[in-house]
Amino acid sequence: MGCSLDRDEGGYVVVFDIKYDDALPINNERARIIQTIQENQVVIIAGATGSGKTTQLPKMCLDAGFGRKKMIGCTQPRRIAATSIAERVAHELGELGSLVGYKIRFGANITPQTRIKFMTDGILLAEAQGDPLLRGYDVIIIDEAHERSLNIDFLLGLLQNIIRKRPDLKVIITSATIDTMKFARVFHNAPIIEVSGRTYPVDIRYVDDGDGDDYVEAAVAQVLSLIRKEGAGDMLVFMPTELDIRECVTLLEKKVAHGGVPASCEILPLFGRLAGKAQNRVFRTSPHMKIVVATNVAETSLTVPGIKYVVDTGLARILSYNARAKTTKLPVTRISRASCDQRAGRCGRVGPGICVRLFSADDYLDRSEYTLPEILRSNLADVILRMTHLGLGDPAKFPFVDSPSSVAIQDGYKLLSELQAIRRDRTLTKSGKVMARLPLDPRLACMILTARGENCLTEMTIVAAALSIQDPRVRPPEKQQQADEAHKAFTSKVSDFETYLLLWQKYQEVAGPSGSQNKARKYCKEHFLSFQRMREWRDIHHQIEQILRQEHGNKQTPLRFVKNASPAPLDAVHRAILSGNLRHIGMRKDKNFYLGAYQKELMLFPGSCVFGKGGGWIMAGELVETSRLYARNVATIKPEWIEPLALHLCKKTYSSPSWRKKQGIVTVKEQVSLFGLVIVAGRFVNFGPLNPLEAREIFIQSALVEGNLGGHYTFLTKNIELLARLEELEQRTRKRGVVADDAQIFDFYATRIPADVFDRGSLNRL
Ligand code: CDP
Ligand code: MG
């Protein structure tokens, strides 16, 4: 039991009587931790998941004398962790529970009494914009720093600067695993305290059933087998996506009916966007057996108590940027060894556990040791966009734990100005601000913004989701022809993007709300589609729809993204896609060969439906460099679409200005090019407004000196008559020099015609 006395400003004595659960390993080190915090500005605390870091450290900070006039702030990578842990700590503090509050993007329960504030790291970053020194806090705990999300890295960078200006601020960084040296290094060798976790042996079993395309069914089979062979016990099943979780829960519920799972068993989903009530059920102790089906939120940030068995698919949805193809994808990927170990560790907390991995031991050994920090797997354009939005400045100057390369940063800036997200001075444009808020690849965000104007959001969200995953079509080497034949059922004749739309439509019919899982599986088999990727596609599509719906609720400048009820013309969809793909256009040179941006030669990918029949101009969703530069995901486009979307990037050159008597203006031939490709070969435009000086000279010479002004002007008629008379006189008298030559006449007009007169209209206004 901890206790501390304080005198606040009013002279009242404040007594904190804080209770600790001594069964939690971190509480064995309490005295040392409190002392180290008091003596150092930055402390790093490493300890196994479940050792009590998140729930106990804020209480220790109170005991150490902080959180009186200012708050103890504790960041969490996920909303669900911020809210559920706030509730837990409030509960642990009993009657002091009102001291604990939380703030997340769409909700808060902060009062003037709040001393311990849990929040997502995104919230603290946003607060730092208005309060750069974070003056509302005397302790900041960056929890789960091992996750190394961009937000965490931004905060670690900011704090390096803030602690210099605020010697009174304490910073605690917690990490579930190793790599704590890295944090210590950026914070001037801050002390590291390791908390040993009390763990029991976990029996790890590998079950590899081959193709791995149906991990939901495989996981359910393992759940049943564990219950049958090992007896009932609380279980944690790891799935990569929300959709997988829902399917898994449904399948398990059916097994209850058939007796494979005890009837009293609680089957509970757990993922980031789960509603509050449903979250709480996961943490409630219950006399009945519990099966929790979770994403990686249950890996480290949330500890579900009492778990005896873990079933691990070994998969998660992890953002990855392909620097070569310049695409960001959110594929379902094999997690690192460190993550696998974390997941297994979840069942060794209360007693010996069993972890069933749905992959082979070789597969495990073949995995990377750790997940790369997000900054090293991100599209720098996205990082810059977010940093600019948060006012963090130039990434080249930011004190990152792991700095991105300067080439990548330059490239990022270039892409952002191409997407019209930033201005020349590197401030955000209006659409840049929206793009920064949408958690999507900036190119996709740009397409969605254009789609909003083109009224084709329904189609664009489907295509954008398709571009975020790996192609769901499979072509097994020994059955390529068969696969191609089967794919014809939904292959477009004109555009690979339309193919996605057609496939989506067909698939919705079999797998949509009224369809069945079995039918969907059968359809995939027959049509050489990966069932798993089709599911990923629908999952991401759902996410994008949610992101756009949330944007309505944005307080500053809400944008409504309204889906079109009737199908949009394909041209509109293509224009939206083109807005994010300007760098990927091509002009035909030869059948399947195109001249791309910066004179690069592109070849249509042989698998594209446009192969062999591409038009004069194409765009590609991806340029992939292998033996040559291939254009993948291709559509024929109309060149006239390009210029309006690329006004900020087009270069214009002018030639052959000449006087047009009929129009009464000087025109010039204008050529427009984008990245070295001529998109408008030659059109005549009014030269006057472009170059008044030169236009005026041509006007004077052709219209006035040479008499081609057109219309009736007494002065001109008189001058011409006079000239004619003088010429006649010159001939009769054989005397030279009576008539002025053209140059003299030009000068005559030039001195009399004002500088802003360069065509008939401006002459008439005199
Ligand atoms: O942060 P760390 O992983 O070190 O542990 P923690 O989240 O502080 O969890 C400490 C203990 O509190 C674990 O035994 C959790 O099961 C329990 N806990 C809980 O029962 N309900 C919550 N909402 C949060 C934590
Ligand atoms: Mg924790």
Side-chain angles (χ1 to χ4, degrees), residues 119 239 278 388 448 661 714:
M119 65 200 124
M239 286 285 156
T388 313
I448 283 178
K661 185 171 174 182
T714 355

Side-chain angles (χ1 to χ4, degrees), residues 21 24-26 47-58 76 80-81 83-89 92 143-144 174-176 195 279-280 282-285 299-306 342 346 349-350:
D21 173 1
L24 286 172
I26 199 166
T49 311
S51 55
K53 300 180 297 298
T54 309
T55 48
Q56 309 305 304
L57 281 170
Q76 291 297 318
I80 184 174
T83 51
S84 78
I85 289 169
E87 192 172 319
R88 168 75 183 190
V89 175
E92 285 184 22
D143 204 4
E144 303 271 313
T174 83
S175 168
V195 182
Q279 291 173 22
N280 294 341
V282 171
F283 299 105
R284 234 181 10 223
T285 41
E299 204 171 289
T300 62
S301 38
L302 290 174
T303 294
V304 181
Q342 273 295 338
R346 310 314 278 159
R349 297 187 57 252
V350 284

Side-chain angles (χ1 to χ4, degrees), residues 34-74:
I34 290 180
Q35 191 187 353
T36 314
I37 295 172
Q38 282 165 333
E39 290 170 1
N40 295 272
Q41 191 171 15
V42 183
V43 181
I44 293 146
I45 301 199
T49 311
S51 55
K53 300 180 297 298
T54 309
T55 48
Q56 309 305 304
L57 281 170
K59 298 195 290 183
M60 293 183 200
C61 291
L62 270 186
D63 257 347
F66 300 98
R68 300 300 192 271
K69 287 182 191 150
K70 297 184 176 200
M71 281 184 290
I72 298 162
C74 180

Side-chain angles (χ1 to χ4, degrees), residues 434-630:
V434 182
M435 284 159 70
R437 285 200 301 261
L438 300 178
L440 294 169
D441 179 290
R443 280 175 52 203
L444 291 184
C446 175
M447 294 180 206
I448 283 178
L449 273 172
T450 315
R452 191 175 162 266
E454 292 276 2
N455 197 24
C456 61
L457 275 171
T458 305
E459 287 81 3
M460 192 64 239
T461 44
I462 296 168
V463 175
L467 297 178
S468 307
I469 57 160
Q470 276 177 298
D471 194 331
R473 287 168 292 180
V474 283
R475 281 178 97 234
E478 66 289 355
K479 290 183 189 158
Q480 290 190 350
Q481 236 174 347
Q482 238 176 304
D484 291 345
E485 201 55 42
H487 292 162
K488 275 189 190 151
F490 39 76
T491 302
S492 155
K493 295 205 166 35
V494 291
S495 151
D496 294 325
F497 303 103
E498 192 190 31
T499 297
Y500 288 127
L501 292 172
L502 297 174
L503 171 56
W504 179 268
Q505 228 167 39
K506 290 244 152 128
Y507 197 66
Q508 282 299 93
E509 285 164 22
V510 275
S514 54
S516 84
Q517 284 301 309
N518 283 340
K519 269 197 208 153
R521 276 202 183 86
K522 192 160 158 260
Y523 186 86
C524 286
K525 250 208 170 85
E526 284 169 3
H527 290 86
F528 290 86
L529 297 167
S530 154
F531 178 64
Q532 180 208 316
R533 287 187 203 151
M534 290 304 287
R535 201 157 44 187
E536 275 187 71
W537 187 6
R538 293 171 66 201
D539 186 70
I540 295 238
H541 177 259
H542 179 68
Q543 279 188 36
I544 294 177
E545 284 190 327
Q546 270 193 326
I547 289 167
L548 298 184
R549 225 173 295 133
Q550 282 175 358
E551 182 56 26
H552 292 187
N554 186 293
K555 279 191 215 88
Q556 299 155 342
T557 43
L559 262 196
R560 284 200 149 271
F561 289 90
V562 184
K563 288 173 69 172
N564 44 306
S566 48
L570 192 58
D571 279 5
V573 181
H574 281 156
R575 278 193 295 270
I577 298 170
L578 177 61
S579 71
N581 272 318
L582 291 170
R583 223 195 267 201
H584 294 177
I585 55 169
M587 186 179 80
R588 191 167 57 203
K589 280 187 0 188
D590 209 1
K591 202 161 184 185
N592 286 309
F593 290 90
Y594 285 77
L595 193 63
Y598 310 112
Q599 309 294 309
K600 274 192 257 178
E601 188 188 74
L602 317 176
M603 185 184 165
L604 294 185
F605 187 67
S608 164
C609 73
V610 181
F611 189 77
K613 47 188 177 197
W617 288 84
I618 52 122
M619 70 168 157
E622 275 180 48
L623 297 182
V624 186
E625 189 141 27
T626 50
S627 50
R628 53 169 23 114
L629 195 56
Y630 281 112

Side-chain angles (χ1 to χ4, degrees), residues 13-27:
V13 175
V14 183
V15 182
F16 284 126
D17 184 5
I18 297 169
K19 294 186 179 60
Y20 293 94
D21 173 1
D22 285 328
L24 286 172
I26 199 166
N27 286 326

